[in-house]
Structure formats: C-alpha cells, structure tokens
Amino acid sequence: METKKKPLFIAFSSQKGGVGKSTFTALLASLLHYRLGYNVAVLDCDYPQYSLLKMRERDLKAVMENENFKRIAQKQFMTINKKAYAIEQCKVETALREADGLLQSSTIGLDVIFFDLPGTVNSAGILNTLMGMDYIFSPITADRVVVESTLSFTQALTDIIMKSGESTIKGIHLFWNQVDRREKSDLYDLYGRFISDLGFSLLKTYVTDSKRFRKESEAMEKTPFRSSLLPPDQRLMTACQLDLFMQEFLRTIEL
C-alpha cells in the first residue's frame, strides 16, 4: 500500500518582533502554493494578533475592490485549478495536534505546513511545538539587540535539542532581512564570521529592505507583493532579492 509522504513542518521563528516572521510565512506560502505547484497550509498560532488570518480578510477585500487584482486572481485560480491555501487559527500549545487533524481532514496531499508562532519562547507550549518542526528559519537584521536575541534563541533551542534527543528538526537557519544596500558589507561579514564561529547556519543570500514588506495589497497598487491570495510579482521579488532567497530556501529544505 502506498503511504502518503509526511509534509514538511516549517516555522519562521525568532524571539524578536518586527523582523519579518509573518511576512515571510505569507510570502513563501503564496510562492509555493500559487506559483510553484506545491500544496500548502498555514497554522496561525500568533495569539492574540492572529496576523495572517487578518491578512487573509484584508486580501479578500482588496481583491474584490481592485479590478486589476481581481483579474489576476481569476486568471490564477483558473490556471492552477485549486483553492487558496488554508489558514487555520490555533493555540501554539496545540499546534502539532491541529496539524495532524488538518492532515486527516485535507482533501489534498499537503507538501508544507507553515507555523506562524508567537515572538517569544515564554509562550506556553512553544518549545514543544518548535521541537516538532522540520526546519526553523530565523530572520535577523543588522542590529545588535536583534542579533544577540536571535543567537540566544538559537543556542537555547540547540541545547534543548541536544539534551532531549527527541526533536524532528533537520536544520535551524538564520538569514539576513531588511538589508540596507547603503550599509557597509564588512558589517555583515563581521556578523557572519561571528555566527559561523558559533556553529550556526547562516544562509548566503539576503533580502534587501523594501517598503513593500510593510505594505499589503492596497487599492492603488498595480501588482501584488505581500498577499495570502496572490504570489509576489516577479519583478518586485528580483528588486529585493527575494527570488535568490527563495532558490536557496528550496535547496535547503530539499523540497
């Protein structure tokens, strides 16, 4: 009997807020589901904001009110012949159980389930949920507080994995986000060597800063970027090097 392949459980996680966890969850989920042909679901565990569920509501409104987005969406869903990926609300302590339930109830075979988690390890159940991930990606910015916080988080998680021996984690990977092109590259080289000396994995590509990371689909926009219903426009991806990041992301998870 042929058995279903278990989907990858992936989280963009960090102790520091405002570094792009929810943004990258939405961007990568939309790219995989709408453009690359994978089947994706998202569990929004980020209580009390539940920012991805709220994003979906705003995206639906934007598509209905923006004729250009409406045409893009109609063409997209007719071409790929599948629905928008599911975004389910859940508590972080029950996220793994909710994921199993989603797998049982889904009418399609899922390839990836993204988990949008709270931005603190003090949240109840978050460490147990993180231990159930296949891959964890932590966005960092060239800010001392952000770097130190992320490294502490990564070290603590690594120590717990080593002690318990029960984790499913295949890799924890840091990556640069919100990179200002005007900043000196030697700053990133210095941080990169420091991170490497600690034995942590840092992706080679980085994503440059763009106001579009802080803007969702709006009535005046001509092309989508951050949306749970549409993938980002290819030209906008190239402008902030999101396309290069996506390539390395896919190689890393071996999807």
Side-chain angles (χ1 to χ4, degrees):
M1 179 183 296
E2 183 180 352
T3 58
K4 291 184 179 179
K5 180 182 178 182
K6 178 184 177 296
L8 294 176
F9 287 5
I10 298 176
F12 286 90
S13 186
S14 170
Q15 284 194 92
K16 193 66 178 170
V19 293
K21 299 186 297 292
S22 296
T23 293
F24 273 89
T25 299
L27 286 169
L28 272 293
S30 294
L31 282 166
L32 289 174
H33 191 79
Y34 303 128
R35 183 167 293 160
L36 298 181
Y38 296 101
N39 292 322
V40 171
V42 174
L43 289 178
D44 189 347
C45 317
D46 192 12
Y47 172 87
Q49 297 92 334
Y50 292 122
S51 54
L52 289 180
L53 276 173
K54 293 177 181 177
M55 181 189 293
R56 173 59 61 81
E57 294 174 0
R58 292 191 294 269
D59 290 339
L60 286 168
K61 182 179 179 181
V63 167
M64 295 302 296
E65 295 178 351
N66 185 309
E67 289 300 321
N68 190 48
F69 286 168
K70 186 182 295 184
R71 285 193 295 270
I72 295 173
Q74 288 174 341
K75 181 179 179 180
Q76 168 183 283
F77 288 111
M78 288 180 64
T79 300
I80 66 176
N81 194 31
K82 62 180 179 181
K83 298 179 180 178
Y85 57 82
I87 302 178
E88 301 287 345
Q89 174 181 320
C90 71
K91 297 180 179 178
V92 66
E93 60 266 32
T94 62
L96 295 176
R97 191 161 64 247
E98 294 284 347
D100 288 337
L102 185 61
L103 291 175
Q104 294 297 323
S105 62
S106 178
T107 57
I108 59 174
L110 293 173
D111 300 297
V112 178
I113 297 180
F114 287 100
F115 294 72
D116 192 38
L117 304 176
T120 171
V121 293
N122 295 324
S123 300
I126 191 169
L127 286 177
N128 182 63
T129 298
L130 284 169
M131 296 285 279
M133 297 297 104
D134 291 295
Y135 294 96
I136 297 171
F137 291 87
S138 295
I140 50 176
T141 61
D143 176 279
R144 181 176 178 179
V145 173
V146 173
V147 172
E148 290 180 351
S149 173
T150 305
L151 293 180
S152 296
F153 163 79
T154 306
Q155 186 64 65
L157 192 56
T158 302
D159 291 343
I160 292 171
I161 293 170
M162 294 294 291
K163 290 178 181 178
S164 71
E166 298 178 355
S167 172
T168 61
I169 297 175
K170 300 180 178 70
I172 304 174
H173 304 280
L174 284 61
F175 68 94
W176 292 116
N177 183 33
Q178 300 176 14
V179 173
D180 189 336
R181 294 179 186 272
R182 298 168 296 179
E183 289 179 321
K184 295 181 179 179
S185 61
D186 55 2
L187 173 65
Y188 290 94
D189 292 338
L190 179 63
Y191 275 132
R193 288 193 296 270
F194 180 63
I195 292 170
S196 178
D197 289 343
L198 291 174
F200 300 146
S201 171
L202 176 67
L203 298 189
K204 295 179 180 179
T205 54
Y206 57 83
V207 182
T208 58
D209 194 21
S210 171
K211 65 179 181 179
R212 292 185 180 276
F213 282 100
R214 292 174 286 279
K215 293 175 65 178
E216 295 174 24
S217 302
E218 297 179 1
M220 298 303 293
E221 294 288 333
K222 295 181 179 179
T223 52
F225 187 70
R226 189 175 67 168
S227 171
S228 67
L229 293 175
L230 302 167
D233 180 84
Q234 184 62 48
R235 291 168 297 178
L236 301 180
M237 287 181 59
T238 301
C240 63
Q241 300 188 164
L242 182 60
D243 55 341
L244 298 178
F245 171 82
M246 184 66 182
Q247 293 172 24
E248 187 172 9
F249 173 83
L250 291 172
R251 291 195 300 268
T252 301
I253 66 175
E254 298 181 340
L255 188 60

